[in-house]
Amino acid sequence: MTNSPLTPGIAAARLDAEGLSQNFSDLHPPLDGHEALVAADRCYFCHDAPCMTACPTSIDIPLFIRQIATGTPEAAAKTIFDQNILGGMCARVCPTETLCEEVCVREVAEGKPVEIGRLQRFATDTLMTSGTHPYTRAAPTGKRVAVVGAGPAGLAAAHRLAMKGHEVDLYDARKKAGGLNEFGIAAYKTVDGFAAAEVDWLMQIGGISLNLGKSLGQEITLDGLADTHDAVFLGMGLSGVNNLNIPGGDLDGVADAVDFIKDLRQASDLSSLPVGRNVVVIGGGMTAVDAAVQSKLLGAENVTILYRRDRDAMPASRYEQDLAASKGVRLIFNAMPVEILGDGSVTTLVAEYTASGPDGLTGTGETFEIPADEVLKAIGQTLGPVTGLDLVGGKIATSGSGRSSRAGIWAGGDCASGGDDLTVTAVAEGRDAAEDIHLTLMEG
Amino acid sequence: MADLTTDFIGIKSPNPFWLASAPPTDKEYNVRRAFEAGWGGVVWKTLGEAGPPVVNVNGPRYGAIFGADRRLLGLNNIELITDRPLEVNLEEMTRVKKDYPDRALVASLMVPVNEIAWQTILQQVAETGCDGVELNFGCPHGMSERGMGSAVGQVPEYVQQVAEWCKKHTDLPVIVKLTPNIADIRKPAQAAFDGGADAVSLINTINSITSVNLDNFAPEPTIDGKGAHGGYCGPAVKPIALNMVAEIARTQSMPGLPISGIGGITTWRDAAEFMALGAGNVQVCTAAMTYGFKIVQEMISGLSQYMDEKGMASTSELIGRAVPNLSDWQHLNLNHITKARIDPDLCIQCGRCYAACEDTSHQAITMSEDRVFGVDDSECVACNLCVNVCPVEGCITMETLEPGMIDERTDKVVEKDYANWTTHPNNPGSCAAE
């Protein structure tokens, strides 16, 4: 090892292989059988359980936990998958601290919720590692549906449609399916190639033909798909990124956090990934936290998250903030970037404190400098080119169960209006749109 | 500090905690360790006749019922009486008693139902210097198939006969250990009393099959694919044992019959409950088998603290204290009316009370859209199920309606006078005083 966290500039292999491997191991190690029984026993089997209401996919959480407690994790998994076919990934990446576990009566009473996420993982892992797929397809309907985007929304929609007996053509712009599960989530949340394994497992339903490297507006068009299919579901997510319109934004070392995460997720050797000695991440969402924490885990000496609003407004949960802090990431609130300095490559980020007043967020005039050889932008993503559909807030306008403004076209997930940009929300929207497509097609 | 010494039928021990006749008391090594740990007495593992000892199975002797985190709630065993030679046990008992003169050492005995056999063994054990004998009429497995153990305990005539023989052939105090595998525990207890026994001890283990292996369909514990019923003990049997102890304690026809309480005693509190219901001392087995001998230290400190807090100077002030309050259903006060009350500050809104009452009881718990739970007094019969299913201790309580208040369920005024079923107008056999 020639490099260290102190190596100036942007460099790879700041940590040795062992350190990297340790840093990128499972954030929440799986429960073993006994731990699962003990964790399951804490569930009170609440009436009309708050956790179930809080789950965007409405998983019957008390039931699946009872099924674990009675030694049938496979049945528990079926309860989960009935509502959420990506229950395995959601068990890993859901911000349970702001969903089911936040409203668990034991969290409210004792500050220690039932470990719903880890129990869900125990159940789903048990079934998925057995190599079986618990669903079969209904009799063929003769209908063909196009699904654009093989991320959480598209996969959920494709699976449900295939199960209903429809033929599904699933398209994705990338060379690999999985969407943000594969390219966009912190590595330590989904280790050992789980995203790809989950896609393979899900595809066992049959009836889904996967077409990779097909980008909407390029290799495929909405009109073309509509002509050749009985329905179209759009779940391609957000392919653009917002720009940082400040001086120095084009210096070397300024990059998009999503690209940084994508490269990291696809890297076969973490020691080949370059990272700055001083990294500044701009933004306050999960992407910002994922990029910042992973920069630190790759060996950056100093990592700072710069967020323009206060802590409470930060989209990343308090749990995520604390995770970042525990890894040594510095969180700066109420400050925005105003200029990036450097000679060819970035050396310094100049920030200005902010205050919110009647005119919204404004700079206070007081500035400070942060040394930076790498600046990662995590300030939001935008919809790629979509024509012929109404948009709202920069996303595809939908009503009901994901119906777009054009008959025969549904949308869900991050590219569609409504809902939080969460994996679990995307799954719910994909599933519900599939149900609506099925009803619509079978009426006709 | 309270005095924990007890005098049970003339057998003195520094505390009321004895180890029951069982594997923990099968040999000198264990018993010495038990006494060092602080146990007040031991009932030595049951001795059989001289000659080749019994043999045990060579597969599992125990099966268990677990709570969460594998907390052992119930234990089942198919072990027999001691499988070591009688002479060895007698020699060891002699040595131990000599070294621990202040501790109780009682010999548990089980021989065939004939007078000579009992006379012989009684003479043999008397030479050890032990403080008394306990007649094992309780073991429900194995030995019962040979006409001993519970096969004797289930026939009051045999119980009385053997008790009489023993009283005739020894000066040692005689305790008769009873089996719970019988319809009315008072019958064998009465037989022991009538036979002159100095005391009874109960309960021995309950006939049981802990579980069934659903892969090979064999009862557990399983020996080479087969299972036989065993004897159940441990925390799960405590309520059954408490009732049997209390039934004997309150029966007038065997007044003052001393009782050594046994059955699931795990903590000082369990012991205190047995004593309050009439046990003069207690015997422990499963708790020691689960956690080791050291638990007696908690039992000693706990009982001592409790007695201090209650101002009790000696165990005699505790023994039998709850017996007068044990009654029959027909004598319970029907004019005592309570209603469930839910403390909104303690409620964690799990809704278990609601589900239980709504689905399985009297539809007396209300639930608002924002999960606030209340009690509908016009439906509440005060069954207590909500209290029992509530995960928060003290969250739901029963409030007693004062005389003069209206019971909204019946629209009747709460009477101040006691009234029970025997005088109730709905009772066809009512003996109302006109």
Side-chain angles (χ1 to χ4, degrees), chain A residues 147-171:
Chain A
V147 173
V148 182
L155 288 168
H159 186 273
R160 187 59 64 109
L161 288 164
M163 200 166 82
K164 298 284 187 187
H166 308 297
E167 294 299 317
V168 180
D169 292 321
L170 178 59
Y171 300 92

Side-chain angles (χ1 to χ4, degrees), chain A residues 17-87:
Chain A
E18 192 187 340
L20 287 169
S21 160
Q22 205 166 11
N23 281 355
F24 284 88
S25 63
D26 223 330
L27 179 63
H28 300 294
L31 297 170
D32 69 23
H34 179 71
E35 288 170 327
L37 289 179
V38 175
D41 186 67
R42 294 190 70 241
C43 175
Y44 284 152
F45 206 73
C46 292
H47 173 76
D48 190 17
C51 54
M52 199 174 153
T53 310
C55 174
T57 54
S58 304
I59 292 170
D60 192 337
I61 293 165
L63 178 60
F64 94 65
I65 292 180
R66 186 173 167 85
Q67 288 167 320
I68 290 173
T70 54
T72 52
E74 298 83 359
K78 182 76 171 23
T79 298
I80 295 161
F81 291 135
D82 282 351
Q83 292 294 112
N84 180 339
I85 197 65
L86 286 112

Side-chain angles (χ1 to χ4, degrees), chain A residues 3 26 51 197 366 417 424 429-430:
Chain A
N3 291 326
D26 223 330
C51 54
E366 183 182 351
S417 64
V424 65
E429 291 172 359

Side-chain angles (χ1 to χ4, degrees), chain A residues 355-378:
Chain A
S356 52
D359 303 327
L361 204 65
T362 51
T364 64
E366 183 182 351
T367 61
F368 59 97
E369 295 187 350
I370 311 171
D373 0 75
E374 186 168 14
V375 174
L376 297 173
K377 301 173 289 178

Side-chain angles (χ1 to χ4, degrees), chain A residues 6 17 47 64 116 118 123 153 165 171 174 193 200 204 209 215 233 246 276 283 305 311 340 356 361 400 425 436:
Chain A
L6 306 185
H47 173 76
F64 94 65
I116 299 168
R118 293 179 84 195
Y171 300 92
R174 299 186 198 266
D200 292 344
Q204 289 178 35
S209 90
S215 203
F233 175 79
I246 58 171
I305 289 178
R311 182 190 279 279
I340 301 174
S356 52
L361 204 65
T425 309
D436 196 45

Side-chain angles (χ1 to χ4, degrees), chain B residues 28-306:
Chain B
E28 180 177 358
Y29 178 82
N30 304 56
V31 174
R32 284 184 184 274
R33 287 170 56 80
F35 283 156
E36 290 301 322
W39 289 90
V42 302
V43 183
W44 201 276
K45 170 98 170 166
T46 304
L47 309 174
E49 287 187 294
V54 302
V55 295
N56 271 300
V57 293
N58 297 297
R61 301 177 189 186
Y62 304 113
I65 297 294
F66 298 105
D69 210 359
R70 278 182 79 82
R71 180 170 289 271
L72 190 144
L73 301 178
L75 189 69
N76 163 294
N77 85 86
I78 55 168
E79 185 172 290
L80 305 183
I81 61 175
T82 184
D83 53 12
R84 305 187 316 141
L86 177 63
E87 309 73 46
V88 173
N89 278 304
L90 295 174
E91 285 166 18
E92 291 184 1
M93 288 166 67
T94 308
R95 282 199 296 270
V96 171
K97 182 61 198 177
K98 187 159 164 284
D99 288 349
Y100 295 90
D102 67 322
R103 310 300 174 92
L105 195 156
V106 172
S108 173
L109 307 174
M110 184 193 289
V111 294
V113 185
N114 72 68
E115 189 169 355
I116 300 297
W118 284 97
Q119 182 181 6
T120 306
I121 190 100
L122 284 166
Q123 285 166 354
Q124 288 166 317
V125 299
E127 291 165 14
T128 65
C130 70
D131 300 296
V133 295
E134 182 181 83
L135 316 186
N136 182 343
F137 298 160
C139 280
H141 48 82
M143 303 309 289
S144 56
E145 297 169 16
R146 307 172 200 179
M148 292 181 271
S150 66
V152 177
Q154 287 167 336
V155 183
E157 292 78 5
Y158 292 170
V159 172
Q160 181 168 345
Q161 177 68 78
V162 179
E164 285 172 356
W165 290 337
C166 290
K167 285 304 291 179
K168 181 173 145 193
H169 293 296
T170 184
D171 295 329
L172 290 169
V174 174
I175 305 166
V176 170
K177 187 167 182 178
L178 301 176
T179 175
N181 300 305
I182 189 162
D184 184 347
I185 196 67
R186 292 171 301 185
K187 296 293 188 289
Q190 185 73 52
F193 181 83
D194 293 344
D198 297 283
V200 291
S201 58
L202 71 160
I203 59 174
N204 203 307
T205 55
I206 303 173
N207 284 344
S208 60
I209 293 170
T210 32
S211 52
V212 177
N213 184 313
L214 290 176
D215 295 319
N216 65 9
F217 300 98
E220 291 182 329
T222 307
I223 307 287
D224 192 23
K226 304 285 184 190
H229 81 262
Y232 198 42
C233 55
V237 310
K238 179 190 144 191
I240 297 165
L242 272 179
N243 176 60
M244 291 186 168
V245 165
E247 283 301 320
I248 294 169
R250 74 180 180 126
T251 299
Q252 300 299 323
S253 59
M254 35 187 153
L257 176 62
I259 302 166
S260 186
I262 310 169
I265 295 164
T266 308
T267 67
W268 71 266
R269 186 179 290 275
D270 298 327
E273 291 175 14
F274 271 84
M275 293 169 77
L277 275 177
N281 74 356
V282 295
Q283 297 183 33
V284 176
C285 175
T286 308
M289 291 182 72
T290 310
Y291 304 108
F293 290 142
K294 195 168 79 175
I295 55 164
V296 75
Q297 294 172 19
E298 162 269 310
M299 293 180 167
I300 291 168
S301 65
L303 183 63
S304 181
Q305 179 181 328
Y306 166 77

Side-chain angles (χ1 to χ4, degrees), chain A residues 34 37-38 41 43-50 105-106 108-110, chain B residues 67-70 348-352 354-355 359 367 371 373 391-392:
Chain A
H34 179 71
L37 289 179
V38 175
D41 186 67
C43 175
Y44 284 152
F45 206 73
C46 292
H47 173 76
D48 190 17
V105 300
R106 301 204 71 164
V108 177
E110 305 162 38
Chain B
D69 210 359
R70 278 182 79 82
I348 61 170
Q349 305 185 328
C350 68
R352 277 165 61 155
Y354 176 82
D359 289 358
M367 174 178 169
R371 299 185 75 81
F373 297 90
V392 181

